[in-house]
Amino acid sequence: MNLLNRLQYPCRLSALSTRRKSKVVAILCCSRSSTTQRLSSSGGSTSTNGNVIYTEEQQKQDHKHCIEMVQNRDFEGYLCGLLMPSSSQEAYFALRAFNVEIASIKDASQLIGGRSRGGGQSSNNQRTIGNTTFDEVGDERDPLLASKLRMQWWKDSILDIYSEKQQQQNDDSSGTDNHTKQNHQDDILSSLTSSRKHNPTLRALNYAIHKHQLTHRFLRRIMQARSNDLDILQYETLRDMAQYGEDTVSNVLYLTLECVGIRDEQTDMIVSDIGVGLGILTALRSTGFRATQGECSIPLDLANKYNVDMDTLWNAWDASIHTSDAVDELVEKTAASQEALRSSTKEMAELASFHLHRARDAQSTVPKDGRSCLLPAVCGLQYLDSLKECNYNVLHPSLVGGDTSGIERKRRLSLMFLLGRTWLTGTF
């Protein structure tokens, strides 16, 4: 398939019907996958312990599910995936779908007991962001409990995949069969683990892990970082935010490199820079949304340096939306808020730009097969250019989905062109 077809007609797959389970199943993320699968790296039908068959048809359906999830919730990652080598696309979309699942867990807690603009929920515990205090729900009614359970479910599921993978290797080397022993497992535990077979994302990831021998510690770091982030309303320092980018985005890129067979220390260093830069930019891009959840995307050290608090965010937000309706006495206040937010945004953007450009300067050392894994850097660099065009107004309508002048559409077309050029030339 040529480049034009890959970008213009990216997916001819029919949409899967949305599965609706009970509230308990939804909270516990019980869209589940079998931990007893032992998948071969050759594809096709694979039997596991004689009671689970992963057919080619099921494999295709799971791949469709992952593609559609990434397309709907990570469009830039979706475009990059279309330009990945065909042999690694299945694993790539499984990883990206997994990342979407994990990243969305924190947001799901808002459905149960989120924070709002006027403050948090009533509680004896409080958290402070800048000069604004938010209530934090105590142990009796922890709104994060459901999110923590979902995160733990994923941790246990991934751990089971690797534990079983190791057990399979041991069984193969010793020539023993563990089937009889498994029949004597606790009935409840057996039921819980086998119920995971219903999650198409986990099934697809399971297959990718076995086929490409993906490293467990990278997945573990992603989940641990996301788990720690559940309790964080504002990072203490810009360095902490950069580390979060390394622990999440960079580790996804490490795994992507493994999908194309690249395990190289020098390449990992380049990808680490890309992950840090994209992690910081992701925080900036979510500034408006996070503010609605009572969170601040500006690290505390920069917030103190430029006098940014939640009121600053809201004033800047209102000024961006109602620029022509500003009351005279509020003009000075909103202008000060916009300038404070712009200054902190610019400093964050400069650090992200430093890491992305350092990766660009060193990209020639990346093996040819791994060049497609660097495509997300193109998305980050384009966002930096767009942010600069808006004079570092991170809440500008064209950057947060409120654009009506067609600028957003032009940028999307420009991004497709840039990705295509990078795919053809091997450099970004």
Side-chain angles (χ1 to χ4, degrees):
M1 182 181 295
N2 60 35
L3 175 61
L4 179 61
N5 286 337
R6 297 181 83 161
L7 289 177
Q8 188 173 3
Y9 306 105
C11 184
R12 297 183 174 88
L13 305 177
S14 59
L16 291 177
S17 59
T18 304
R19 289 168 295 277
R20 298 297 184 189
K21 302 296 183 180
S22 66
K23 184 181 295 185
V24 174
V25 173
I27 290 178
L28 296 180
C29 189
C30 291
S31 31
R32 301 155 293 197
S33 176
S34 171
T35 57
T36 58
Q37 291 178 328
R38 296 174 180 172
L39 303 178
S40 68
S41 61
S42 59
S45 301
T46 303
S47 177
T48 62
N49 288 338
N51 52 15
V52 175
I53 301 294
Y54 194 49
T55 65
E56 290 185 4
E57 181 60 29
Q58 183 68 72
Q59 182 180 337
K60 291 177 181 179
Q61 292 297 320
D62 293 346
H63 183 47
K64 280 202 297 185
H65 169 85
C66 292
I67 289 176
E68 289 164 359
M69 177 178 290
V70 176
Q71 181 181 14
N72 293 330
R73 299 165 67 179
D74 178 16
F75 188 73
E76 291 181 355
Y78 168 72
L79 290 179
C80 294
L82 298 176
L83 301 176
M84 289 289 291
S86 57
S87 60
S88 60
Q89 277 192 356
E90 192 170 1
Y92 171 88
F93 281 110
L95 282 171
R96 283 286 175 170
F98 163 76
N99 190 55
V100 167
E101 294 264 23
I102 297 298
S104 64
I105 290 178
K106 183 175 184 179
D107 301 333
S109 65
Q110 306 302 329
L111 299 176
I112 300 177
R115 309 172 187 94
S116 62
R117 174 171 179 167
Q121 296 171 324
S122 59
S123 171
N124 294 328
N125 299 326
Q126 292 183 324
R127 294 184 181 182
T128 301
I129 298 179
N131 298 323
T132 306
T133 299
F134 286 87
D135 296 325
E136 177 185 341
V137 176
D139 293 336
E140 294 182 359
R141 287 179 53 213
D142 186 0
L144 300 180
L145 178 59
S147 296
K148 291 175 181 178
L149 288 173
R150 291 181 63 193
M151 187 68 71
Q152 190 60 50
W153 184 89
W154 281 99
K155 287 181 179 180
D156 292 343
S157 298
I158 299 299
L159 179 61
D160 286 345
I161 289 174
Y162 280 94
S163 297
E164 182 196 280
K165 183 171 177 287
Q166 182 62 42
Q167 183 61 47
Q168 172 67 17
Q169 293 173 349
N170 294 339
D171 290 348
D172 291 343
S173 61
S174 62
T176 59
D177 186 1
N178 207 36
H179 178 61
T180 303
K181 182 178 179 180
Q182 284 188 335
N183 287 338
H184 295 286
Q185 287 181 339
D186 181 83
D187 291 339
I188 297 179
L189 179 60
S190 178
S191 176
L192 287 174
T193 55
S194 64
S195 66
R196 292 170 182 151
K197 65 185 178 181
H198 300 300
N199 187 316
T201 300
L202 190 56
R203 277 197 304 259
L205 183 61
N206 189 356
Y207 183 80
I209 288 171
H210 286 77
K211 181 177 181 179
H212 297 280
Q213 301 300 308
L214 301 182
T215 303
H216 186 195
R217 71 175 181 276
F218 294 148
L219 290 167
R220 190 166 59 239
R221 287 174 186 170
I222 295 170
M223 291 184 291
Q224 189 58 50
R226 296 289 188 186
S227 180
N228 294 339
D229 186 57
L230 292 175
D231 295 309
I232 295 176
L233 297 179
Q234 182 182 32
Y235 281 95
E236 292 289 331
T237 66
L238 186 53
R239 170 176 282 190
D240 292 338
M241 180 172 288
Q243 183 61 52
Y244 179 69
E246 161 68 24
D247 291 339
T248 52
V249 184
S250 294
N251 280 287
V252 171
L253 296 178
Y254 297 150
L255 290 164
T256 305
L257 284 170
E258 292 187 343
C259 291
V260 297
I262 302 296
R263 288 175 167 83
D264 175 69
E265 184 175 348
Q266 180 63 32
T267 300
D268 285 350
M269 293 176 63
I270 296 171
V271 164
S272 176
D273 272 327
I274 294 175
V276 170
L278 292 180
I280 295 173
L281 293 181
T282 299
L284 285 176
R285 298 175 79 162
S286 65
T287 299
F289 172 74
R290 291 300 169 194
T292 65
Q293 312 304 317
E295 302 174 27
C296 184
S297 296
I298 308 299
L300 184 60
D301 56 349
L302 293 185
N304 291 334
K305 180 179 179 179
Y306 296 106
N307 296 319
V308 174
D309 56 20
M310 293 304 296
D311 287 337
T312 303
L313 293 178
W314 286 117
N315 289 333
W317 179 269
D318 291 338
S320 297
I321 299 176
H322 306 108
T323 53
S324 61
D325 300 331
V327 183
D328 291 342
E329 56 266 24
L330 297 179
V331 171
E332 183 177 349
K333 182 178 180 180
T334 55
S337 295
Q338 284 187 308
E339 185 58 33
L341 182 58
R342 179 180 291 110
S343 298
S344 57
T345 296
K346 185 176 181 180
E347 186 163 336
M348 293 174 66
E350 287 175 347
L351 180 60
S353 178
F354 167 79
H355 284 282
L356 290 174
H357 282 88
R358 186 165 69 175
R360 169 185 273 177
D361 294 339
Q363 64 180 313
S364 60
T365 62
V366 177
K368 183 178 179 180
D369 292 342
R371 298 290 177 87
S372 58
C373 300
L374 308 184
L375 287 172
V378 177
C379 306
L381 289 169
Q382 193 215 33
Y383 179 77
L384 279 173
D385 291 340
S386 300
L387 190 60
K388 188 174 181 179
E389 290 174 2
C390 298
N391 194 22
Y392 296 98
N393 178 9
V394 73
L395 298 177
H396 192 279
S398 67
L399 297 177
V400 294
D403 173 50
T404 58
S405 62
I407 296 178
E408 186 178 2
R409 181 175 181 274
K410 292 177 182 177
R411 286 177 179 155
R412 178 168 290 190
L413 292 174
S414 174
L415 176 60
M416 294 171 67
F417 168 77
L418 293 172
L419 288 172
R421 186 180 67 180
T422 301
W423 182 69
L424 289 171
T425 63
T427 58
F428 62 88

